[in-house]
Amino acid sequence: MDTKVYKALTIAGSDTSGGAGIQADLKAFQSRNVYGLTVLTTIVAQDPDRDWFHAVYPLPTDTVRAQLNTVLSGIGVEAVKTGMLPTSDIIELVADTIDRYNLDRVVVDPVMVCKGADEPVNPDAAASLREVLVPKAAVVTPNLFEAAQLSQRPAIKSIDDMKEAATIIHELGPRYVVIKGGKLDNNMAVDVLYDGRSFEILEWERVDTAYTHGAGCTFAAMITAELAKGTSVQEAVQQAKKFITQAIRQGFKLNQYVGSVNHLALNSFNA
């Protein structure tokens, strides 16, 4: 019987509503029997009196540095995921930390916006993601908007566009690129995985629901959890695709503004 405790670190923001960010990451890790550790970078609070407006409160860089030291010097992990990194200073700190600790299984979820927004929260940080952090990733998992930002090309509207963007992003340095197709197709949820040599198209029937809060974070966290256990990138991505489809299928309403994917649905799978 394997008694090893696999550990994964999420460096991300806190979603006060509980569906995304560090909260989603920890739920995803636990569902895969991986012990989750956290480095909090920012707090996101939603205003119920302003149509669920997202207010973003970055933490001081020194606070982030102290947390990184706690986890990486004091404990150690098998894999790392990054989520919302609100400032260029924090992005550079995380990139330097990856080098300092020779971190290899790093999943970069290049969070640039809060759900529903169409402009980066911090344009300077978006540039730093592209230039400083993405090159150090084992896997980078942009959605369509983020992939267009990282590849510096127009809006992505087809699978061919996804392939072109993935090629450009791969040239930045990550070993694997997964572009999440989201609502690109009305019938199928299409993701593209690129390893620098060939493309793998992952297609599942699209679930027609608005309850998708936390889907991107959860998908990347599932990949991270599988990598922590030594799963190959291709298998980790395939498993994550299966898991997130089920979590979306069983999503639920939180309030009149938003509905979350159901992290408990992931427990019905055994990897």
Side-chain angles (χ1 to χ4, degrees), residues 29 51 63 80 181 266:
F29 291 166
D51 294 325
T63 303
V80 177
L266 309 181

Side-chain angles (χ1 to χ4, degrees), residues 22 62 73-74 84 108 114 139 206 215 223 232 235 243 253:
I22 272 182
D62 285 347
S73 292
M84 180 177 281
V108 173
C114 296
V139 187
R206 183 171 175 269
I223 295 173
S232 70
E235 178 65 18
F243 301 150
K253 180 179 179 179

Side-chain angles (χ1 to χ4, degrees), residues 9-121:
L9 167 64
T10 169
I11 308 170
S14 170
D15 170 28
T16 302
S17 72
I22 272 182
Q23 288 85 340
D25 295 343
L26 289 177
K27 293 170 188 175
F29 291 166
Q30 186 164 353
S31 74
R32 306 318 307 149
N33 296 317
V34 171
Y35 184 85
L37 300 100
T38 63
V39 169
L40 189 62
T41 63
T42 186
I43 297 171
V44 178
Q46 300 86 6
D47 190 340
D49 298 318
R50 297 175 60 196
D51 294 325
W52 215 235
F53 173 79
H54 287 58
V56 179
Y57 304 95
L59 295 184
T61 304
D62 285 347
T63 303
V64 177
R65 181 179 291 108
Q67 296 173 83
L68 287 166
N69 184 61
T70 297
V71 175
L72 296 173
S73 292
I75 302 171
V77 296
E78 279 75 44
V80 177
K81 171 192 176 289
T82 69
M84 180 177 281
L85 306 177
T87 67
S88 295
D89 285 347
I90 289 176
I91 291 169
E92 291 170 6
L93 169 62
V94 171
D96 289 344
T97 300
I98 290 170
D99 289 340
R100 177 183 175 189
Y101 290 94
N102 296 313
L103 300 174
D104 183 53
R105 301 172 188 173
V106 177
V107 177
V108 173
D109 188 19
V111 178
M112 297 182 184
V113 298
C114 296
K115 186 174 287 294
D118 57 4
E119 292 293 336
V121 171

Side-chain angles (χ1 to χ4, degrees), residues 186-205:
N186 288 329
N187 298 312
M188 303 296 292
V190 182
D191 300 335
V192 171
L193 171 62
Y194 182 58
D195 63 359
R197 298 178 299 277
S198 60
F199 296 96
E200 181 176 352
I201 308 301
L202 298 96
E203 293 184 286
W204 285 63
E205 183 177 355

